[in-house]
Amino acid sequence: MSSQTPSHKPRVAVVFGGRSSEHAISVVTAGAVLRAIDREKYDVLPIGITTDGRWVLTADDPDRMAIADRKLPSVAELAESADGGVVLSADPNSREVVYSEPGSVPKALGEVDVVFPVLHGPYGEDGTLQGLLELSGVPYVGSGVLASAVGQDKDYMKRVFASFGLPVGPYEVIRPREWENEPAAARKKIVDFAAEHGWPLFVKPARAGSSMGISKVDDLSGLDEAIAEARAHDPKIIVESLLRGREIECGVLEFEDGPRASVPAEIPPVTAHDFYDFEAKYIDSASGIVPAPLTDGQTAEVRELAVAAFEAASCEGLVRADFFLQDNGEFVINEINTLPGFTPISMYPRMWQESGVSYPELIDRLLQAALRRSTGLR
């Protein structure tokens, strides 16, 4: 890490937007982070990534990053220039950020000490951006390349959890070549899975989040449409059986002495939606119950499982772990999110607020944890 004098405030590049279908939610998250970050302790440089992958300087204006009248924000609307671009040096001995416009001399914007990537989904949360930052030698908030990739791919995530003895539910995966080469055989795999585990099924993109592209399928008639919807987000899809029970979430945060779990939350049934989908999460603002009404034993168990999942996937910084508490009283881990939402209604900051860690303190702890870590093998 770069040396810091007492008068030097760490410079934080908040990177958001991105090329995934979760672009707008990333912008909303960035607005919340920019609003909460302690400007007396940190200098801040907002950098947006457009949907076509261009890095741009953006306005430092959280009010323009919110969902307004059901309209989702975008980086393009916040960019300070339609042509200018930002480049982060790939030289690990330099953390210089350079801004350039066509026909103009590139302008150095100074070095950054740490990156806070608030990107969700592919090309941001999946290890790709983390790899770039490793090459650049810039510390960053959150998990490294491997944990980010595992946390993004529901197939390999479940394989890792199962190998560590963590409880996972039944699932089936259809890989791109299976669907492209033998769609009838691939479809039969899903039909056979339904015959074994029953309807309804959930058909999901294997590497997306924010409930993008997910369909609940009640019978064979809706299967093809659900597959097409999932494949519109990711050529690799995962099919899961319905687990009857309560949806429980738990946050994990890296402290100086290691990861700790928050109080858990419960996502109650959403009467206007078939499941906790994108509209329920972000448009209609479905609210969770914090803390979850669990017994002391259940609370202790789910917190222990959340930290175990964090460790199993080699995570760093933060994770939101999602579970089902089945009718038989047993927990099943559904997935982890290595970069959970930080929107004002997001469950991760709400769980930590209830655990005694305020939103600004949460941001500070994540940045301090990143500054303590080196890049490279660790």
Side-chain angles (χ1 to χ4, degrees), residues 6-334:
S7 61
H8 173 75
K9 291 194 292 186
R11 195 173 193 214
V12 182
V14 178
V15 180
F16 63 97
R19 295 162 56 189
S20 83
S21 55
E22 298 175 77
H23 176 96
I25 296 308
S26 173
V27 177
V28 176
T29 298
V33 170
L34 289 170
R35 185 176 284 110
I37 199 167
D38 185 351
R39 302 305 179 101
E40 293 188 2
K41 189 170 182 178
Y42 301 99
D43 286 328
V44 179
L45 178 68
I47 297 176
I49 302 177
T50 63
T51 53
D52 61 0
R54 185 167 61 96
W55 290 44
V56 299
L57 291 179
T58 71
D60 186 357
D61 188 352
D63 290 342
R64 293 172 58 195
M65 299 180 181
I67 298 173
D69 298 325
R70 303 178 75 88
K71 183 179 182 295
L72 299 174
S74 72
V75 167
E77 296 168 347
L78 298 162
E80 293 188 348
S81 167
D83 301 313
V86 172
V87 175
L88 181 65
S89 173
D91 180 356
N93 298 308
S94 170
R95 298 175 182 175
E96 193 80 45
V97 176
V98 176
Y99 175 78
S100 63
E101 292 188 2
S104 300
V105 176
K107 179 172 64 176
L109 300 178
E111 293 191 346
V112 296
D113 296 291
V114 61
V115 169
F116 197 141
V118 290
L119 294 111
H120 304 300
Y123 312 111
E125 190 181 352
D126 60 349
T128 50
L129 177 64
Q130 289 75 14
L132 172 64
L133 296 173
E134 292 285 352
L135 289 172
S136 300
V138 181
Y140 53 92
V141 168
S143 290
V145 175
L146 174 65
S148 297
V150 168
Q152 186 66 38
D153 191 314
K154 296 176 177 63
D155 174 15
Y156 286 98
M157 181 197 306
K158 292 177 187 291
R159 292 173 186 266
V160 168
F161 291 155
S163 74
F164 277 83
L166 298 174
V168 298
Y171 70 99
E172 185 64 82
V173 175
I174 305 297
R175 300 173 186 277
R177 279 196 292 271
E178 290 182 86
W179 187 257
E180 292 158 7
N181 296 339
E182 296 187 73
R187 191 174 186 276
K188 185 177 183 301
K189 278 179 64 174
I190 301 175
V191 174
D192 290 346
F193 179 83
E196 180 179 357
H197 298 286
W199 301 90
L201 303 176
F202 286 93
V203 180
K204 305 178 177 182
R207 296 163 292 192
S210 295
S211 298
M212 292 284 192
I214 297 178
S215 302
K216 181 183 176 185
V217 184
D218 294 313
D219 53 45
L220 202 58
S221 65
L223 183 58
D224 290 341
E225 183 179 351
I227 292 171
E229 173 63 20
R231 282 179 52 79
H233 295 267
D234 185 350
K236 179 181 180 181
I237 67 172
I238 188 167
V239 180
E240 298 172 350
S241 62
L242 174 67
L243 295 176
R244 300 188 185 279
R246 299 159 62 187
E247 290 190 51
I248 307 295
E249 298 184 348
C250 191
V252 181
L253 177 64
E254 183 181 338
F255 285 73
E256 289 82 356
D257 59 352
R260 301 182 199 172
S262 70
V263 301
E266 179 170 2
I267 306 299
V270 186
T271 56
H273 302 263
D274 270 349
F275 60 97
Y276 196 43
D277 62 5
F278 179 87
E279 290 260 328
K281 282 182 180 178
Y282 299 110
I283 304 298
D284 294 339
S285 304
S287 58
I289 302 168
V290 188
L294 301 170
T295 67
D296 290 346
Q298 289 170 332
T299 296
E301 182 181 359
V302 76
R303 293 177 75 179
E304 184 178 333
L305 285 169
V307 172
F310 182 96
E311 297 282 34
S314 298
C315 296
E316 295 168 296
L318 72 164
V319 149
R320 194 193 73 232
D322 300 346
F323 300 86
F324 289 106
L325 175 55
Q326 299 180 99
D327 293 341
N328 63 6
E330 296 180 356
F331 282 102
V332 169
I333 184 166
N334 182 38

